[in-house]
Structures are given as C-alpha cells and as structure tokens.
C-alpha cells in the first residue's frame, strides 16, 4: 500500500525513517528533551499558554497553572528520576529446564506514535502522553482538538521550536485531519476523548493491528453514605465538579446520596457555591465558560428538559449564551430516561439521586457502563470495602475526588467503556514501549539433546522433564 500520497503520509514517512535514530537515544538525551519541554511550559511559554486558554474558554490562570501546566511538569520530574532504571535491561530468572541460558527484558520504543487529544485539558492531555512517548524513545505526531484553537497554536509553536518534525510534530486542524492520520500504519495510537470516537479510533487501528491506549470518559458516580462528614464532602465535590465548569473526564457526574441527607446536602451546596463563586458566578474570576456554542446548547437542552420533565432545579440553572456561561446547578429527581441520567454530562450540572441502602446504590452504579472514576465519601471501612468489592471502575478516590489523577505511582485510565490501557509514570512509559523478551543460549541446552530423530532414550528424558521440571 502507498502511504505517500498526502502531507500527513509524508510526515509519517519522515518519522518512520528517523525512528531508529530517536529510539537509540540514551536516557540522558531523552531527559534533555523533557527538560527543554519543562522550561517552555514553566518559563518561556507559560503566560502565552495561560492567555490562550483564557481566550478559548475563559479558563482562570490559576486553574491553568494547577490543572494543565503543573501535572505535565510533575510528570517530567517523575520520569527524569526514574527513566534510567526503566531503560535498564531487566534480568529474569532461568527455569531449570533452560539451564545454560540467560534471559532479560528490554523496553524498546514502539516506533512512530500518534497522540490525539481532547479540548478540555488541551495542554495536560497532549503533552502529558508526549512525556511518556519521549521517555520511551518514540517519534510522535500530535493532533490536538480543533475546539481550543488558541491553545493548539501555542502548543504548535512550542513543538516546532523544540523538535525537528521528523521526531515530533504537531498538526492542527479539524476532525478530517485526525481521520487522515488514522489511515496511517502507526505503531501506537494514544487517544483521549469520548467512548464514541474511541470506537472509531480502535476500528481504524485494527486495519494495521496498531496497538492503542484509549483514555475515554463516561458517567463517574459519587456515593455519599450517612457516616461521612457531609460539609467536607460537599465542599470537595463542588470543587471537583465545577473546576473547568464540569468539563473534566473524572468530574463527579452524579451523586448517589443517602436519602436522610438530602435537605442538608442542598443547603450546603448553596452555601459552598456562594463561598466559591459569589452570588453571581457569571462575574467570578474563578469560573470558566463552556467551550463552544455546540456544547453550551447541549447542556442548556439538559436544563430545559429538566424543567419540563419532572426533575427540579434546586440551585442555579441560569445561563447566558453571550459567552456560553452556565451557572453551577443542582438537579433533583431527574427521571432515569432523561439525558442527564443517560449521557455523560460534561458540564456544571450535578444531578443527585437518593438511596436507602448501600446495596441499592451499588446496584444502580452497576446498571451502567464501568465508569472512569468512582468516588466514595464515607467513614465506614465496611461500606468502603463493600463498594470497592462490588463495583468496577478505572479508578477510585475515597473521601475526595480528582486527586487520583495526580499520583504518578497510580495507573490512570478506564476499564472497557471508559478506556483501555493506562497512563502516567511507568504505566504511561509501558504503553509507549514494547517489552521485548530476549533469551541468550550460552552452553549446550537441554533442548539440543531432544532434536529428531526421536528414540526411547529421548522419550525417557522428556518423561523425566515432565515429571520433575
Ligand atoms: P471527542 O471524542 O469528541 O474528541 C477527541 C479528539 O478526537 C479530538 O481531537 C477530535 O478532533 C477527535 N475526533 C473527533 N471526532 C473524530 C472522528 N470522527 N475521527 C477521528 N477523530 C475524531 O472528545 P472531546 O469532546 O474532545 O472530549 C470530551 C470527551 O473526552 C469526554 O467523553 C471525556 O470524558 C473524555 N476525556 C477523557 C479523558 C481521560 O483521560 N480518560 C480526559 C479528558 C476527556
């Protein structure tokens, strides 16, 4: 097949030609590249990135620092500390039957990789995986989302300044660009986005048996049982839900609340939203906007459906199309067939559903796809263990939310509908490397004694091997 009939194929071929040069770099050279990226993020381009994200959806500078720049810098520091040992040959034991040989594992680069990222944390979710890909010794084509064009432009500048395009290149453009890229025989595709597009990516990857990491989304539940410290729980949930105006893959999507806590929860919600974002969140400098009109309209249709379809808005509910503002909103009694309870919300609307027993809450969670995150607020070890043992999720945070993303010793990712494969730390490095097994024969091996022609003596040797080794 000819892959050289457009500019993406040309770029791909350049990287393919260069892959061994990049793959044979030492850990020191790779760390050098990561340090240059770190410097661009925390010094030379920090202000430009902040301003770009503010232009894209009024993201507060502090949130850009904390949720976009810091995680990538922290990932670089972690990789810098550990890369030498990750790249060392790992010796493994030799079974007796293979006497005379030795074995080891090499973490070799996958080769030419594609990273497709979403708009909601464009820096973090483009450069975060890039850190793992560089650590693994790969060449990379990055394709950020078309929905945050100002941020993509700055990221493109950074990449062009730091790297030759036959090693790392960033291409901007609409969905069609991703579709063209997906036709190419990459060695690995790292995709972050929705489960629906994840399926398209996996289908395209199957054409070339390209390995994939799919970091997807879904409805992440938060369970609050009656033993929890409610005030602290509500404060943390509001932080987790309304950071980035709810446009976070691991934001609490809905709350399952012990029914006796309902009125207290509503009052606390109102108090804390007031504390965080003032009486008029539209004028708050700490609250961003919905990324574009399409997503704004989608969320407004959820609010309108709630008004006409029995559910009730107990706090918030205002919106303003001028700059895609939607107020932090709490919804009660949303019917099961509503869009709020069926689709990933990905915005500042929090439905709560009450339950009587923890078994009921768990069975509700299990009636849906496996979530990317599941949160439990409880003081009871028994309840926490019950929920952990009787549900499935990509990750869990107990008595807080979002924080599981920040520990590089934890694998980050989903399970089935919420994702395939993991990122961060050694887990991200492993996605971008092939664990190549190597066995070296030093002396005469047992198998050398068993080659044809077979005879009784050799049969006895096999019998002994089966019995004793
Ligand atoms: P999306 O799936 O619409 O788009 C993601 C990327 O895929 C974008 O770069 C887009 O240009 C590209 N794309 C879109 N349609 C495509 C197609 N038909 N063919 C090829 N490429 C295509 O997701 P989004 O709206 O950017 O982000 C929101 C989703 O991402 C949510 O579901 C959220 O939960 C998920 N997400 C997951 C994580 C995670 O780490 N697991 C992080 C952030 C967001």
């Amino acid at each position: 097949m000819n892959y050289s009939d457009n500019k993406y194929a040309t770029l791909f071929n350049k990287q393919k030609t260069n892959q061994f040069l990049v793959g044979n770099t030492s850990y020191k050279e790779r760390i050098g590249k990561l340090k240059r990226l770190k410097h661009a993020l925390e010094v030379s381009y920090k202000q430009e990135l902040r301003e770009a994200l503010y232009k894209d959806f009024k993201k507060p500078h502090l949130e850009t620092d904390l949720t976009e720049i810091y995680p990538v810098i922290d990932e670089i520091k972690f990789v810098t500390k550990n890369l030498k040992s990750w790249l060392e040959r790992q010796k493994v034991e030799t079974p007796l039957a293979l006497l005379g040989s030795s074995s080891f594992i090499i973490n070799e680069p996958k080769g030419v990789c594609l990273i497709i990222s979403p708009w909601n944390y464009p820096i973090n979710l483009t450069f975060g995986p890039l850190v793992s890909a560089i650590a693994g010794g790969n060449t990379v084509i990055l394709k950020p989302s078309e929905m945050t064009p100002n941020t993509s432009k700055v990221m493109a500048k950074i990449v062009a300044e730091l790297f030759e395009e036959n090693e790392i290149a960033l291409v901007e453009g609409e969905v069609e660009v991703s579709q063209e890229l997906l036709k190419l025989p990459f060695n690995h595709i790292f995709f972050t986005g929705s489960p629906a597009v994840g399926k398209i990516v996996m289908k395209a990857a199957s054409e070339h048996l390209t390995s994939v990491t799919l970091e997807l989304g879904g409805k992440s539940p938060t369970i609050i049982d009656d033993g929890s410290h409610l005030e602290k729980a509500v404060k943390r949930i509001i932080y987790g839900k309304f950071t980035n105006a709810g446009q976070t893959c691991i934001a609490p999507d809905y709350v399952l609340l012990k029914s006796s806590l309902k009125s207290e929860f509503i009052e606390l919600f109102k108090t804390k939203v007031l504390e965080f974002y003032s009486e008029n969140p539209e004028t708050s400098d700490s609250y961003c906007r919905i990324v574009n009109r399409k997503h704004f309209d989608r969320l407004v249709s959820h609010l309108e459906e709630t008004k006409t379809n029995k559910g009730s808005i107990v706090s918030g509910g205002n919106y303003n199309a001028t700059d895609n503002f939607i107020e932090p909103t709490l919804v009660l009694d949303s019917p099961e067939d509503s869009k709020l309870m069926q689709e990933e919300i990905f915005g500042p609307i929090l439905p709560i559903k009450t339950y009587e027993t923890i078994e009921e809450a768990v069975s509700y969670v299990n009636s849906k796809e496996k979530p990317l995150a599941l949160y439990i607020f409880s003081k009871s070890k028994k309840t926490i263990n019950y929920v952990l043992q009787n549900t499935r999720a990509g990750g869990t945070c107990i008595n807080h939310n979002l924080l599981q993303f920040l520990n590089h010793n934890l694998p980050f990712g989903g399970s089935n509908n919420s994702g395939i494969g993991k990122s961060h730390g050694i887990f991200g490095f492993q996605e971008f490397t092939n664990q190549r097994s190597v066995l070296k024969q030093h002396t005469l091996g047992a198998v050398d004694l068993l080659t044809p022609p077979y005879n009784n003596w050799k049969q006895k040797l096999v019998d002994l091997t089966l019995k004793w080794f």
Side-chain angles (χ1 to χ4, degrees):
M1 204 176 285
N2 179 16
Y3 294 111
S4 58
D5 46 7
N6 67 30
K7 59 180 176 176
Y8 308 115
T10 308
L11 179 60
F12 174 88
N13 285 331
K14 279 186 189 170
Q15 293 206 350
K16 194 173 169 196
T17 308
N18 194 31
Q19 63 170 315
F20 280 93
L21 211 66
V22 174
N24 287 327
T25 46
S26 68
Y27 80 91
K28 279 187 183 160
E29 287 169 293
R30 296 182 197 180
I31 286 172
K33 292 176 200 176
L34 293 175
K35 284 192 170 156
R36 291 206 304 277
L37 179 61
K38 180 169 170 282
H39 187 264
L41 292 176
E42 68 184 351
V43 183
S44 35
Y45 283 95
K46 183 175 171 187
Q47 191 55 20
E48 230 178 293
L49 285 167
R50 284 164 148 194
E51 282 160 17
L53 265 171
Y54 191 80
K55 265 194 212 150
D56 279 328
F57 58 109
K58 278 200 175 174
K59 186 157 167 121
H61 287 354
L62 185 146
E63 261 182 39
T64 296
D65 290 357
L66 197 64
T67 66
E68 293 271 29
I69 293 176
Y70 168 75
V72 183
I73 288 177
D74 204 43
E75 181 82 35
I76 291 175
K77 284 185 190 159
F78 188 82
V79 170
T80 302
K81 248 190 241 159
N82 293 290
L83 188 58
K84 183 171 185 278
S85 70
W86 295 348
L87 286 175
E88 268 161 12
R89 290 179 174 189
Q90 298 158 34
K91 280 195 183 146
V92 295
E93 283 186 9
T94 302
L96 219 52
L98 291 175
L99 211 65
S101 72
S102 64
S103 299
F104 56 92
I105 301 167
I106 303 173
N107 288 316
E108 67 177 15
K110 284 243 171 118
V112 188
C113 300
L114 172 65
I115 295 176
I116 300 180
S117 52
W119 53 266
N120 63 328
Y121 290 93
I123 304 168
N124 183 342
L125 299 172
T126 305
F127 287 153
L130 177 64
V131 172
S132 305
I134 292 174
N138 299 281
T139 67
V140 188
I141 297 178
L142 300 157
K143 165 63 182 76
S145 170
E146 62 288 355
M147 296 197 197
T148 38
N150 293 298
T151 313
S152 293
K153 213 164 269 157
V154 183
M155 291 196 294
K157 246 163 82 176
I158 296 175
V159 169
E161 185 180 300
L162 299 185
F163 304 102
E164 295 295 328
E165 70 167 9
N166 64 357
E167 179 174 3
I168 297 165
L170 186 149
V171 294
E172 295 170 81
E174 298 296 316
V175 167
E176 292 70 28
V177 174
S178 298
Q179 288 166 337
E180 281 304 312
L181 287 166
L182 284 172
K183 291 180 187 159
L184 300 167
F186 283 96
N187 299 110
H188 189 75
I189 298 173
F190 189 107
F191 169 79
T192 307
S194 60
V197 180
K199 286 177 194 174
I200 295 172
V201 170
M202 197 165 173
K203 212 174 198 175
S206 74
E207 276 301 308
H208 306 289
L209 293 177
T210 297
S211 56
V212 289
T213 308
L214 302 177
E215 294 282 355
L216 310 178
K219 293 185 82 61
S220 295
T222 294
I223 300 175
I224 308 183
D225 93 328
D226 54 351
S228 61
H229 186 313
L230 197 59
E231 189 184 348
K232 207 181 268 173
V234 175
K235 187 174 175 184
R236 289 174 176 174
I237 289 166
I238 286 175
Y239 178 67
K241 180 71 180 183
F242 300 119
T243 293
N244 223 36
Q247 302 164 108
T248 304
C249 57
I250 47 170
D253 185 273
Y254 62 94
V255 167
L256 290 168
L257 182 72
K258 181 87 176 172
S259 64
S260 54
L261 303 172
K262 188 161 94 178
S263 10
E264 202 185 337
F265 183 97
I266 294 170
E267 282 323 301
L268 283 167
F269 181 94
K270 290 178 181 168
T271 315
K272 296 292 165 198
V273 167
L274 190 77
E275 238 174 61
F276 280 21
Y277 303 111
S278 81
E279 249 171 47
N280 182 6
E282 199 168 357
T283 58
S284 163
D285 290 336
S286 308
Y287 190 64
C288 74
R289 297 297 183 261
I290 305 307
V291 72
N292 58 23
R293 193 58 193 261
K294 185 178 146 217
H295 279 283
F296 172 81
D297 288 344
R298 176 181 64 79
L299 290 160
V300 167
S301 83
H302 289 0
L303 292 175
E304 292 306 321
E305 186 190 48
T306 306
K307 287 179 191 163
T308 57
N309 205 10
K310 281 199 239 142
S312 56
I313 295 174
V314 287
S315 179
N318 294 312
Y319 52 85
N320 183 350
T322 317
D323 68 347
N324 300 328
F325 164 79
I326 296 184
E327 198 180 5
T329 300
L330 186 65
V331 171
L332 257 186
D333 304 324
S334 201
E336 203 35 50
D337 61 357
S338 62
K339 284 188 214 143
L340 272 185
M341 297 316 286
Q342 288 297 319
E343 295 170 11
E344 179 182 7
I345 297 168
F346 222 60
I349 309 171
L350 182 67
I352 53 175
K353 190 177 164 65
T354 55
Y355 69 86
E356 298 301 331
T357 64
I358 194 69
E359 290 78 9
E360 199 188 313
V362 158
S363 134
Y364 183 78
V365 169
N366 289 338
S367 71
K368 300 196 174 293
E369 297 281 7
K370 284 182 201 168
L372 181 59
L374 184 153
Y375 301 115
I376 317 162
F377 286 86
S378 175
K379 279 185 178 159
S380 155
K381 243 189 196 168
K382 195 171 153 217
T383 305
I384 293 168
N385 284 337
Y386 178 80
V387 174
L388 284 175
Q389 283 164 9
N390 291 286
T391 57
R392 299 287 178 265
T396 279
C397 187
I398 298 162
N399 293 328
H400 217 307
N401 50 190
L402 310 191
L403 302 186
Q404 75 278 17
F405 185 90
L406 295 174
N407 185 344
H408 300 297
N409 295 301
L410 288 173
F412 179 80
S415 180
N416 298 133
N417 197 68
S418 51
I420 294 174
K422 302 289 172 186
S423 56
H424 295 180
I426 190 160
F427 310 101
F429 170 80
Q430 283 169 343
E431 294 289 305
F432 281 101
T433 47
N434 170 47
Q435 283 74 60
R436 179 175 184 167
S437 46
V438 183
L439 183 145
K440 186 173 182 190
Q441 192 68 45
H442 303 286
T443 58
L444 191 70
V447 174
D448 295 322
L449 303 173
L450 297 173
T451 51
Y454 302 135
N455 55 33
N456 284 345
W457 180 84
K458 289 179 184 177
Q459 181 63 55
K460 272 189 190 136
L461 208 58
V462 170
D463 293 344
L464 269 176
T465 306
L466 289 176
K467 194 164 178 190
W468 298 108
F469 298 111

